[in-house]
């Protein structure tokens, strides 16, 4: 792993790379993936059903906040860290919840644009960037093939996006 990861883990008091991966990177990645993918269906369903950017923004923001809270509690309550060595459940919960919120809220921001068609184009771009970042994190920290990670992440995102489009167009 890179010197940057080692320095960050030391500065944060995690002691070693493995602890940093288990306590910060993995919960953060899980949150980012969940937020980026799980909020696609409600956001795009609302966009196609209402064609109203303000409404989409409200639904997206609510989805991101709700997903963040849910994932924070889920991660925090799933493991006290004693048996697995994954560290403080509060820290993992905050990391997971924060990254879940971020992943869902980033592609909500374009809907601050009043024109829903322009907002959709911007949101498509943001989602694409999010998915590439997720694939890169998997490649960098978990020795996954970048190409395979990208295929897996895009496939998951496409399935959820399609569900939102189908439901929103009904």
């Amino acid at each position: 792993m890179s010197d940057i990861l080692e320095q960050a883990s030391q500065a944060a008091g995690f002691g070693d790379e493995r602890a940093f991966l288990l306590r910060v990177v993995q919960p953060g990645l899980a949150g980012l993936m969940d937020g980026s993918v799980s909020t696609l269906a409600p956001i795009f369903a609302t966009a196609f059903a209402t064609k109203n950017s303000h409404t989409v923004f409200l639904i997206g923001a609510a989805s991101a906040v709700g997903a963040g809270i849910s994932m924070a509690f889920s991660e925090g309550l799933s493991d006290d860290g004693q048996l697995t060595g994954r560290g403080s459940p509060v820290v993992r919960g905050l990391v997971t919840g924060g990254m879940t919120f971020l992943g869902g809220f980033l592609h909500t921001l374009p809907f601050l644009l009043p024109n829903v068609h322009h907002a959709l184009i911007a949101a498509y771009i943001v989602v694409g960037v999010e998915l590439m970042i997720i694939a890169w994190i998997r490649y960098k920290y978990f020795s996954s093939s970048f190409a395979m990670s990208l295929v897996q992440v895009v496939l998951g995102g496409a399935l959820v996006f399609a569900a939102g489009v189908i439901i929103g167009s009904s």
Side-chain angles (χ1 to χ4, degrees):
M1 296 283 161
S2 71
D3 291 334
I4 294 170
L5 176 60
E6 198 169 321
Q7 290 170 358
S9 66
Q10 293 293 333
F14 292 107
D16 63 35
E17 286 182 47
R18 180 168 163 61
F20 185 66
L21 286 173
L22 288 173
R23 297 174 184 177
V24 177
V25 177
Q26 190 278 328
L29 179 60
L32 186 60
M33 287 190 300
D34 182 71
S36 295
V37 174
S38 70
T39 58
L40 290 176
I43 289 171
F44 289 106
T46 304
F48 287 103
T50 69
K51 297 176 182 34
N52 181 302
S53 281
H54 180 71
T55 302
V56 177
F57 179 79
L58 294 176
I59 297 298
S63 295
V65 169
I69 291 169
S70 173
M71 285 295 286
F73 275 92
S74 176
E75 179 63 31
L77 297 175
S78 68
D79 171 16
D80 68 5
Q82 298 298 317
L83 182 63
T84 62
R86 293 183 63 220
S88 167
V90 173
V91 171
R92 286 190 341 271
L94 289 172
V95 168
T96 304
M99 292 304 287
T100 302
F101 169 77
L102 184 65
F105 196 67
L106 287 176
H107 54 259
T108 297
L109 287 174
F111 293 97
L112 288 172
L113 297 171
N115 183 308
V116 74
H117 299 293
H118 295 147
L120 279 166
I121 291 167
Y124 297 148
I125 293 167
V126 171
V127 169
V129 170
E130 288 172 350
L131 297 177
M132 289 185 64
I133 289 170
I134 290 167
W136 179 82
I137 292 170
R138 293 186 73 223
Y139 164 75
K140 174 141 178 81
Y141 295 108
F142 299 103
S143 302
S144 298
S145 156
F146 181 76
M148 183 54 74
S149 290
L150 195 57
V151 167
Q152 292 167 340
V153 171
V154 169
L155 177 62
L159 290 171
V160 176
F161 172 77
V165 171
I166 291 167
I167 292 168
S169 297
S170 298

